[in-house]
Amino acid sequence: THADYTSILISEPAPGVSQITVNRPKALNALNSTLFHELNSALRTFSTDDNVRCVVLTGSEKAFAAGADIKEMKDKQFAEVYKGDFLAHWTELSQFRKPIVAAVSGYALGGGCELAMMCDIILASPTAVFGQPEINLGVIPGAGGTQRLTHAIGKSRAMELVLTGGNFSAQQASEWGLVSRVVEQGSVVDEAVKVAGKIAGKGMLAVQAGKEGVNAAYEMSLANGLHFERRLFHQLFATNDQKGGMNAFANKQKAQWTHS
Ligand code: HXC
């Protein structure tokens, strides 16, 4: 159960919103196998629970996550990582179908930056520091850094960051479109919960379709993406929430979502 987790904390900061707080303070929230096992387990329970309609993922004031746990990783051998497909289960979160809002304070480096980029919306504290420093360890990003960062901020910037291992600030992340905005110091979790609360107040089916549609823009040509979007749109006319939502508007009432 949630109470048995050692590396994450679970809370419900608002109706329909569940929060996962990465909690390995002594290691600046370095990400290890146990942590991902727990994270995946929590998301699995959330995925089948209609009372969870949006998730907030955060760390501490000092670190969202300072990367993969270098001490756990350093002695691994090629045969082991290749056979076991090391990192495969680290990216399970990207398959989660409900929205995840990342609230980033402090270090989001390496796997920490990649974890934030697997989320759907990133809000940043002015103290947030992003980067892919893997090159300084003799490796490269392995959980999406070369791909998602390039999609988000463009080739030249991503290339410079991945090849030099340099960090970038919350301000830069915002100017480049990696994060949706920088919020006031100390308020990033509250702001993320506010956004998540708004999303949790919508019909889940439309939210899920909206997430699928936006994500399709990263996978498909424009023509295929537009076709996919139109089909998702059509499908929503089979839902009670579409009938309820549109009738409520026409009758000047507030929509009551049944998530069906
Ligand atoms: C294991 C880590 C860690 C990490 C910090 N710690 N980051 N342990 N893996 N990624 C531990 C430190 O060893 C130290 O433990 C404690 O956390 C506090 O860290 P300090 O270094 O003392 O803190 P500070 O001086 O404030 O420096 C903060 C920092 C630095 C700049 C973030 O810790 C740092 O450079 N960390 C590594 C960042 C990094 O390279 N990340 C990418 C990892 S590779 P002790 O026991 O000494 O107190 C990666 C690959 C991704 O992510 C592949 C796919 C996921």
Side-chain angles (χ1 to χ4, degrees):
T1 70
H2 291 171
D4 298 326
Y5 296 147
T6 60
S7 307
I8 59 172
L9 303 169
I10 307 289
S11 56
E12 284 159 34
V17 179
S18 282
Q19 180 175 324
I20 301 176
T21 305
V22 178
N23 186 36
R24 296 189 70 214
K26 287 189 188 130
L28 295 182
N29 288 337
L31 306 165
N32 64 12
S33 305
T34 304
L35 192 148
F36 271 99
H37 179 76
E38 293 180 359
L39 184 61
N40 291 339
S41 155
L43 290 174
R44 249 173 258 132
T45 65
F46 293 166
S47 65
T48 53
D49 183 352
D50 272 12
N51 295 317
V52 181
R53 294 189 292 281
C54 193
V55 174
V56 169
L57 178 64
T58 194
S60 68
E61 198 58 42
K62 179 142 196 232
F64 179 74
D69 190 322
I70 300 165
K71 293 162 194 169
E72 183 187 66
M73 186 165 51
K74 70 183 184 44
D75 295 322
K76 288 190 189 295
Q77 299 294 332
F78 167 75
E80 176 192 356
V81 295
Y82 184 56
K83 273 197 289 185
D85 202 7
F86 175 51
L87 298 183
H89 69 285
W90 289 41
T91 56
E92 234 180 85
L93 174 135
S94 63
Q95 304 300 318
F96 188 65
R97 301 172 81 197
K98 300 174 185 182
I100 306 180
V101 183
V104 177
S105 272
Y107 297 112
L109 300 178
C113 187
E114 292 172 305
L115 181 62
M117 291 192 292
M118 282 180 235
C119 298
D120 300 298
I121 298 170
I122 308 176
L123 298 188
S125 153
T127 65
V129 176
F130 298 88
Q132 298 290 163
E134 288 89 344
I135 200 84
N136 300 323
L137 301 166
V139 292
I140 64 167
T146 65
Q147 305 302 301
R148 291 197 178 91
L149 191 62
T150 308
H151 277 290
I153 71 174
K155 172 177 164 176
S156 192
R157 287 174 188 138
M159 194 68 89
E160 182 175 346
L161 289 163
V162 168
L163 300 188
T164 67
N167 293 340
F168 56 106
S169 66
Q171 192 55 43
Q172 285 170 310
S174 175
E175 280 162 20
W176 298 342
L178 181 74
V179 308
S180 65
R181 58 201 157 88
V182 182
V183 302
E184 240 174 77
Q185 167 89 49
S187 72
V188 73
V189 175
D190 289 348
E191 288 291 330
V193 169
K194 257 190 234 166
V195 173
K198 279 188 196 163
I199 295 169
K202 315 295 181 193
M204 287 178 82
L205 294 167
V207 166
Q208 188 173 317
K211 171 168 168 163
E212 268 198 89
V214 173
N215 279 337
Y218 286 89
E219 308 285 351
M220 291 182 182
S221 68
L222 180 60
N224 285 333
L226 290 170
H227 181 76
F228 183 71
E229 177 193 77
R230 187 69 51 80
R231 289 293 171 263
L232 286 171
F233 180 78
H234 290 163
Q235 283 166 26
L236 291 170
F237 283 76
T239 66
N240 294 320
D241 284 347
Q242 175 269 330
K243 296 290 172 291
M246 292 192 181
N247 280 320
F249 177 84
N251 297 323
K252 302 191 188 300
Q253 290 166 347
K254 192 176 182 307
Q256 301 292 327
W257 309 119
T258 58
H259 311 299
S260 64

